[in-house]
Amino acid sequence: MNDKANLFEKVAATGILPVVAVPSRELAVPLARALQRGGATAIEVTLRTPCALEAIADIRRDVPEMAVGAGTILTSGQVESARRAGAQFLVSPGFDPEIAQAAKSAGLPYVPGVTNPTEVTAAVKFGLKTLKFFPAEASGGIAALKLLHGPFPDVAFIPTGGMCRENIGRYLTEKFVAACGGSYMAKSADVLAGNWEKIAAETARCVAVAAKARAGQTDAMPFPPQKRLSRMVGFGDFLLRLSPPGYRRFSQANAFESYYTGAEANVCASLAVMGAKASFVTRVPDNPIARVGLGELKRLDVDVSRVVFGGDRIGLYYLEKGASQRPSLVVYDRMHSGMTTARRTDFNWTEILRGASHFHFTGVTPALGGELPEIVADACRAAKETGCVVSCDLNYRKALWSTDQAAKTMIPLLGMIDYLIANEEDIEKVLGIRATESDVTGARLSRDGYADVAAQVVRSFPNIQAVAITLRRSLSASDNVWGAMLYAGGSAYFSRDYNVHIVDRVGGGDSFAAGLIYALGNGYGPQEAVEFAAAASCLKHSIELDVNLSTVEEIRRLMEGDGSGRIQR
């Protein structure tokens, strides 16, 4: 196959490009045949094993219908070796003009890796029009790729890195995506074990997913099982909450009650109460006030060993609790706190996330400014590289930033998350998407409208596996109707509604996030997960201060219908 266009058409025909490191020569042909039986038409053999060139030659000889490429080309000298072995195309992790010139001289199509406009521009100037987006998921996923493609409408991309059967459909709905590369259909353990039928079957499933995506049917795909929750890392500010006793106004206060809090700290604490492992990461001054607060988290079994010490003060917020028709009032005092003066060099995310399965942050954290938007982006990239599930609660706070500032910072971050959590205002204010026939201030919500909003979010950010929207109908500051929706796998799942008489509303959203992360990380299906999360948050509204102290048993009891409030003896 000498015609480059025909070669890339062959790769694009199935939507998948198996990328394999062949551990021993005798496995090469059986592996290629298994992939071929599953429907694959091309294979990239990486030059990362001693037998790679022999494997390419053997596949060319014995499986002539399969297009064979050489991957992980790092030097121009490897180009000639790959050509002699019979490689029909070349792939490298990054663009190298010397490799590009050598490939041109050898008459071989060359697909270099790119992640930014500068690299794409250099490749296009060299006449290359099919490029590898690598590492895809760690670089922001399909949302980032859409932005990268915008100025280069004639370029086709092969996203590689972090691909799996569950996410390739999100990429392949886009016409500029030629195929999704990776070893997701041929795991190394199965190759070593010679599980050829398993590889063929998985390849066939991936080809079927690709075909559905090409036909625009990704919304019909089932919600896949989620990663098991082993340890969650939460990153955010840590504050001292000061409140007048009871429902007194600030002007009536002659004393303030204190409590330690923070959105991500609340999520970690709630998860710990549920029995899950959670680590909280922040930056606070090394003084007795901050250490007492960290001690409170430790008392709830939250790991704080990764906290960074620095800065001169801990942040504060003052809360005047509302009642009846008088709303609550919050005043922040965070300027020059340990967190707001944090630097990117303060956090070694590879070490912090070692052994973690989940990473969580909220929109509050980048809203604090300074280097925090970049720090959060660093954390998300590291989380994706280590395979963590990334969750984000938009948590828009108008006292911290404008809607334009929030959108500018949050939209790039959303390209790296798996679960998006929001309330009925967040998505409209940050993303500019709103439900039809819904009026937040007038307490009217449209279920179908919010399902449509979630679908719009997933279409804009196909990397997002689940969108959870909390549905609060405020009858007054004291009484709300509370429920939630989870949009996953193209379907909307609604919880039951709870009539809530509020004891303390603060932390209600954090308790919902903790419940959702716990449920999805413990094998709950979408309906059960949203019921669990809504019940957890309902109970939090009955608990003073910011942390949900409800156990899994208590949450499930309410979730399964016992909302009587009778004394448990």
Side-chain angles (χ1 to χ4, degrees), residues 293-306:
L294 296 177
E296 286 296 300
L297 290 178
K298 290 173 68 176
R299 184 177 62 82
L300 293 173
D301 208 23
V302 176
D303 168 43
V304 294
S305 63
R306 296 162 178 82

Side-chain angles (χ1 to χ4, degrees), residues 108-456:
L108 291 175
Y110 172 47
V111 184
V114 296
T115 58
N116 60 58
T118 301
E119 294 168 347
V120 176
T121 299
V124 169
K125 283 183 177 180
F126 215 92
L128 304 176
K129 292 191 175 182
T130 300
L131 308 176
K132 179 170 76 166
F133 180 53
F134 176 80
E137 286 290 280
S139 299
I142 185 61
L145 183 53
K146 284 182 179 180
L147 294 174
L148 186 61
H149 172 257
F152 306 99
D154 296 328
V155 175
F157 291 91
I158 301 177
T160 307
M163 298 293 97
C164 61
R165 175 159 47 94
E166 290 76 21
N167 66 15
I168 60 173
R170 301 169 196 156
Y171 288 83
L172 291 167
T173 55
E174 303 297 335
K175 292 182 179 180
F176 60 83
V177 175
C180 290
S183 58
Y184 47 91
M185 74 296 289
K187 302 293 186 182
S188 57
D190 290 324
V191 174
L192 281 169
N195 293 329
W196 308 128
E197 292 311 311
K198 180 179 178 181
I199 290 172
E202 181 59 22
T203 303
R205 284 191 284 267
C206 292
V207 170
V209 169
K212 286 183 178 181
R214 295 293 200 205
Q217 300 176 17
T218 51
D219 282 350
M221 296 177 190
F223 187 55
Q226 299 299 288
K227 186 167 187 173
R228 191 79 179 176
L229 174 62
S230 59
R231 180 171 65 88
M232 193 205 76
V233 173
F235 174 63
D237 200 7
F238 193 50
L239 305 98
L240 184 64
R241 162 179 159 171
L242 299 174
S243 301
Y247 291 92
R248 291 189 181 187
R249 304 212 67 178
F250 288 140
S251 60
Q252 297 174 297
N254 53 20
F256 286 88
E257 296 175 343
S258 65
Y259 187 69
Y260 292 90
T261 184
E264 296 86 353
N266 296 339
V267 174
C268 289
S270 296
L271 280 169
V273 172
M274 294 177 198
K277 292 183 178 179
S279 301
F280 179 56
V281 179
T282 188
R283 184 176 184 265
V284 293
D286 189 3
N287 64 34
I289 302 299
R291 287 193 175 274
V292 168
L294 296 177
E296 286 296 300
L297 290 178
K298 290 173 68 176
R299 184 177 62 82
L300 293 173
D301 208 23
V302 176
D303 168 43
V304 294
S305 63
R306 296 162 178 82
V307 167
V308 174
F309 290 99
D312 298 324
R313 60 184 295 256
I314 192 170
L316 306 175
Y317 89 89
Y318 301 85
L319 171 67
E320 179 185 277
K321 289 174 64 176
S324 191
Q325 279 67 46
R326 177 173 60 84
S328 296
L329 176 62
V330 173
V331 177
Y332 292 105
D333 179 14
R334 283 167 147 153
M335 191 73 72
H336 308 303
S337 69
M339 190 64 168
T340 61
T341 56
R343 298 289 179 262
R344 296 174 75 175
T345 53
D346 290 332
F347 304 95
N348 183 338
W349 289 109
T350 301
E351 284 299 318
I352 290 170
L353 294 166
R354 191 180 303 280
S357 60
H358 290 64
F359 174 72
H360 180 73
F361 73 100
T362 75
V364 171
T365 301
L368 299 177
E371 294 187 18
L372 283 168
E374 291 79 16
I375 294 171
V376 172
D378 290 343
C380 289
R381 281 190 288 268
K384 299 309 294 181
E385 289 171 1
T386 56
C388 286
V389 172
V390 179
S391 56
C392 169
D393 186 340
L394 280 183
N395 225 349
Y396 174 72
R397 296 290 182 265
K398 65 181 181 181
L400 296 177
W401 55 0
S402 69
T403 54
D404 288 344
Q405 290 171 320
K408 183 178 179 181
T409 298
M410 293 303 300
I411 287 175
L413 293 174
L414 294 186
M416 294 186 279
I417 72 164
D418 301 290
Y419 304 156
L420 176 65
I421 302 163
N423 64 25
E424 62 267 25
E425 296 178 81
D426 290 343
I427 290 177
E428 178 183 349
K429 291 187 179 298
V430 179
L431 302 180
I433 299 172
R434 65 172 299 168
T436 57
E437 300 180 0
S438 291
D439 178 0
V440 173
T441 57
R444 290 193 303 116
L445 299 177
S446 164
R447 282 192 165 197
D448 291 342
Y450 280 109
D452 177 65
V453 164
Q456 290 182 58

Side-chain angles (χ1 to χ4, degrees), residues 8-9 24 28 38 44 67 98 212 225 228 294 317 449 461 513 541:
F8 290 130
E9 286 176 6
S24 58
E44 176 190 332
E98 291 186 5
K212 286 183 178 181
R228 191 79 179 176
L294 296 177
Y317 89 89
F461 301 92
H541 284 75

Side-chain angles (χ1 to χ4, degrees), residues 43-87:
I43 183 173
E44 176 190 332
V45 178
T46 64
L47 302 189
R48 291 188 289 172
T49 60
C51 67
L53 293 173
E54 290 88 349
I56 291 171
D58 291 349
I59 294 170
R60 279 299 310 276
R61 182 189 67 238
D62 294 346
V63 195
E65 302 85 1
M66 179 80 78
V68 187
T72 322
I73 299 290
L74 302 178
T75 67
S76 57
Q78 290 177 310
V79 172
E80 179 59 21
S81 299
R83 186 194 67 79
R84 290 177 180 174

